[in-house]
Amino acid sequence: MSKTVLIILGLLVAFVGRKQSPTDLTNNNVIPRPVIISATGNSFQLNESTSIYITVNLPELNQSAKYLREKLQAATGYELKIIPTKETPSSGIYLTTVNNEELGSEGYELLIEKKLLTLKANNAEGVFRGIQTIRQLLPVAIEKSSVQKIAWKIPTGTIRDFPKYEYRGTMLDVARHFLGVEDVKHYLDLMAYYKFNVMHLHLTDDQGWRIEIKSWPKLTEIGGSTEVGGGKGGFFTQEQYADIVNYAADRYITIIPEIDMPGHTNAALASYPELNCNGQATKLYTGTKVGFSTLCTNREITYEFIDDVIGELAKLTPGPYLHIGGDESHATKTDDYIPFIERVQDIVYKHGKIMIGWDEITLAKLNKRSIAQYWASAENAKNAIQQGVKIIMSPARKAYLDMQYDSLSPLGLHWAGYIEVDTGYKWNPATLETEIGRENILGIEAPLWTETVTNRADMEYLIFPRLAGYAEIGWSPTDGKSWNEYKHRLASHGNQYDIWGINYYRSKLVPWSKE
Ligand code: TNX
């Protein structure tokens, strides 16, 4: 063989070899897109002798290390050792603390060197968010549940990352169709992967009451016994609810329970005649109309009922917020609605929680700590701002996970329009409404109403892939945001969804890899 042929062969081998080994950290598929990334052109490799070191300064990191080990175990087959340490190790994975104001309570810094991968944050929450980035930087096969023979490499460099909004949530309506504890946990796992920190549970509506209230047992006995379409419904016992709260807390996700009132209350009105102005229980309802029910706002028993319900729920909920609904109360006169919301607000604060409600609550005089959830009315948002009240952005036309993707979508509604994957991604909460500026916004939330959703597969179909886009809107800087760039990262996440067996919408706008 001639010398030139050998050189060419050598170059070819080197080239192919290089292609197989990821070395450019800036070329990644992380969602939400991290704030700052710089690459150093080498790679870190995980192997069976890698250990996870944790600084002794923060005992909570033991949990984080166990979570990371568990996420890496199935596909690698490695059972990584967890070793508490006072000193910086020379190799392995090192979870540690830092004192850095810019990172806030959820930010983190990832320093990836050839031998050592260091994840630092102000606290364990930031470390948890950073672990999601590590999972996404590894080859996607890391998500498989059986052992894969793969070089588990991550390109070297630095990532410094922190969220744009402090509130990044989703909502799940378990009232229209009941979805059980396992489905909620499944959703929480997927949310954690995308660095969400809030799950709002819509626990009551006309069609069902889904949370056990010990002082008013018929709410679930009667009110929980059906759902849209006449199925058997269901409810969470207080123990099950506590289990969900703990599961979420392990993922640094806050549960916000919603008891919708004074409208959207037929399930309660059917359970207890005394909550109705005419003293007669209504019939259970299994249709999908809204705006026909109301609690009797001028009976004292109504407020005793609310005090009991809020009291029990506040005790079960470690998070700071309780959501009181307040939307679409078309059957309540405005003159009755306003004092009602103000009285309920006092009850919420009496039980030590901050009140959240849909944007209609801004008709009432609000405590400055209360929060309005914008879904449709800019006018209501203006009322909130005038009262110094912060806003959660859930514009139906952009962020409702129950809107159809297009006219052919087999599931979903379209009263607020169709939300294709690009429409869900291409909006900015701080410029959507001229009235609402960045300084008024606490964060964003994407609600999944379940009139058309009957099971986990339906839920996945409407959530994915739009959820990833809402995660990015809530977390990543607006600078550098581009659908044309994002769609390639999103396409690569289709590989994760395939591995997880997620029923997702393969939008034509996304260049999914063929399989
Ligand atoms: C409006 S948005 C509702 C819900 C429905 C949803 C369906 C809001 C606060 N109320 O009761 O389920 O539309 O998209």
Side-chain angles (χ1 to χ4, degrees):
M1 231 181 292
S2 83
K3 231 173 154 186
T4 14
V5 173
L6 272 176
I7 290 170
I8 290 168
L9 264 176
L11 280 173
L12 252 172
V13 169
F15 183 72
V16 171
R18 239 193 38 210
K19 249 191 115 186
Q20 282 170 348
S21 172
T23 54
D24 182 1
L25 186 63
T26 61
N27 185 10
N28 65 68
N29 292 312
V30 177
I31 299 176
R33 181 170 56 91
V35 178
I36 295 167
I37 308 180
S38 61
T40 50
N42 226 311
S43 63
F44 168 91
Q45 184 164 357
L46 192 71
N47 58 51
E48 56 204 328
S49 60
T50 304
S51 293
I52 304 176
Y53 294 90
I54 48 175
T55 183
V56 292
N57 298 337
L58 186 59
E60 249 183 296
L61 286 184
N62 195 33
Q63 281 304 110
S64 323
K66 281 190 187 151
Y67 174 91
L68 176 61
R69 172 169 67 189
E70 188 220 300
K71 291 296 171 203
L72 302 179
Q73 191 164 352
T76 63
Y78 311 152
E79 170 120 28
L80 305 183
K81 275 206 204 77
I82 297 174
I83 307 174
T85 177
K86 286 187 181 146
E87 270 131 53
T88 305
S90 56
S91 66
I93 297 174
Y94 180 35
L95 310 183
T96 187
T97 53
V98 65
N99 207 328
N100 181 333
E101 213 179 305
E102 186 192 29
L103 296 180
S105 61
E106 293 182 278
Y108 64 91
E109 200 170 82
L110 204 56
L111 177 61
I112 309 152
E113 299 165 292
K114 245 187 113 171
K115 294 275 171 234
L116 180 66
L117 188 157
T118 309
L119 172 55
K120 305 179 195 182
N122 288 320
N123 55 40
E125 186 174 1
V127 168
F128 185 83
R129 306 288 176 235
I131 287 173
Q132 308 310 320
T133 302
I134 296 175
R135 291 174 68 191
Q136 295 192 19
L137 289 171
L138 282 160
V140 64
I142 198 68
E143 298 302 325
K144 294 208 168 164
S145 50
S146 62
V147 176
Q148 309 294 309
K149 290 270 163 272
I150 282 185
W152 302 106
K153 290 186 178 177
I154 298 181
T156 56
T158 307
I159 293 182
R160 187 141 38 84
D161 198 17
F162 45 86
K164 180 169 184 150
Y165 291 104
E166 70 175 75
Y167 183 114
R168 303 177 310 283
T170 66
M171 189 209 79
L172 180 63
D173 169 9
V174 291
R176 268 51 177 273
H177 280 101
F178 182 63
L179 292 149
V181 174
E182 290 314 309
D183 294 327
V184 175
K185 287 183 175 175
H186 173 64
Y187 197 178
L188 285 164
D189 281 331
L190 298 165
M191 286 170 59
Y193 193 69
Y194 288 114
K195 302 187 174 83
F196 281 94
N197 63 3
V198 171
M199 182 192 260
H200 164 187
L201 284 175
H202 183 77
L203 291 169
T204 66
D205 213 301
D206 292 316
Q207 299 84 348
W209 186 284
R210 310 297 180 203
I211 177 73
E212 176 190 20
I213 300 295
K214 299 212 194 255
S215 51
W216 295 74
K218 287 188 203 156
L219 289 169
T220 44
E221 254 168 52
I222 297 173
S225 66
T226 191
E227 60 185 9
V228 168
K232 70 177 178 17
F235 64 92
F236 300 128
T237 63
Q238 295 200 350
E239 290 67 28
Q240 288 173 324
Y241 177 80
D243 182 31
I244 291 172
V245 166
N246 289 334
Y247 194 84
D250 285 347
R251 284 147 188 76
Y252 299 90
I253 295 173
T254 301
I255 296 289
I256 301 182
E258 176 185 350
I259 303 295
D260 203 347
M261 57 184 131
H264 290 280
T265 42
N266 187 71
L269 298 168
S271 308
Y272 286 99
E274 58 268 45
L275 299 176
N276 295 271
C277 284
N278 67 3
Q280 293 197 345
T282 58
K283 284 210 185 86
L284 290 167
Y285 180 69
T286 60
T288 60
K289 289 204 187 84
V290 298
F292 61 87
S293 57
T294 183
L295 293 171
C296 190
T297 56
N298 42 38
R299 273 193 170 202
E300 270 319 290
I301 183 79
T302 297
Y303 300 94
E304 287 164 27
F305 163 75
I306 293 169
D307 191 50
D308 289 341
V309 170
I310 298 280
E312 288 193 34
L313 207 51
K315 280 210 191 75
L316 287 168
T317 305
Y321 305 113
L322 282 191
H323 201 303
I324 59 113
D327 57 315
E328 300 173 317
S329 268
H330 308 317
T332 321
K333 290 198 197 85
T334 308
D335 285 348
D336 294 334
Y337 177 84
I338 292 173
F340 172 86
I341 296 293
E342 291 168 0
R343 244 184 115 170
V344 171
Q345 174 171 256
D346 290 343
I347 296 172
V348 172
Y349 285 94
K350 184 185 106 187
H351 290 287
K353 299 293 175 187
I354 298 169
M355 185 179 85
I356 307 183
W358 297 103
D359 61 43
E360 290 94 323
I361 64 160
T362 62
L363 296 173
K365 178 147 181 21
L366 296 179
N367 181 313
K368 281 196 172 32
R369 296 165 70 207
S370 296
I371 296 160
Q373 184 165 10
Y374 164 87
W375 62 282
S377 164
E379 196 52 38
N380 288 341
K382 223 161 79 185
N383 290 338
I385 292 163
Q386 276 163 4
Q387 301 198 55
V389 159
K390 287 261 187 316
I391 296 173
I392 296 164
M393 293 296 286
S394 299
R397 65 190 190 279
K398 300 288 183 190
Y400 267 26
L401 286 164
D402 65 315
M403 290 301 118
Q404 290 174 295
Y405 293 98
D406 63 24
S407 62
L408 299 174
S409 294
L411 298 168
L413 308 173
H414 56 255
W415 66 265
Y418 298 112
I419 307 182
E420 243 302 352
V421 183
D422 61 341
T423 306
Y425 179 75
K426 287 184 196 166
W427 62 282
N428 178 350
T431 55
L432 186 73
E433 296 283 3
T434 47
E435 288 87 349
I436 312 173
R438 171 70 182 91
E439 68 283 4
N440 311 120
I441 301 175
L442 187 68
I444 86 156
E445 184 181 298
L448 179 66
W449 302 99
T450 55
E451 285 92 337
T452 68
V453 172
T454 57
N455 55 39
R456 185 186 291 194
D458 291 356
M459 170 175 134
E460 289 174 345
Y461 185 79
L462 288 171
I463 292 172
F464 286 101
R466 287 183 289 205
L467 189 74
Y470 301 125
E472 186 144 312
I473 292 171
W475 182 285
S476 307
T478 319
D479 266 9
K481 181 177 169 179
S482 143
W483 163 256
N484 279 326
E485 182 273 331
Y486 170 73
K487 71 182 181 191
H488 296 288
R489 273 184 291 128
L490 183 60
S492 85
H493 281 229
N495 300 322
Q496 275 92 313
Y497 306 159
D498 288 334
I499 292 171
W500 293 334
I502 294 270
N503 179 34
Y504 64 105
Y505 165 58
R506 284 181 68 94
S507 167
K508 288 198 183 69
L509 306 179
V510 180
W512 309 107
S513 56
K514 315 235 175 342
E515 239 177 89

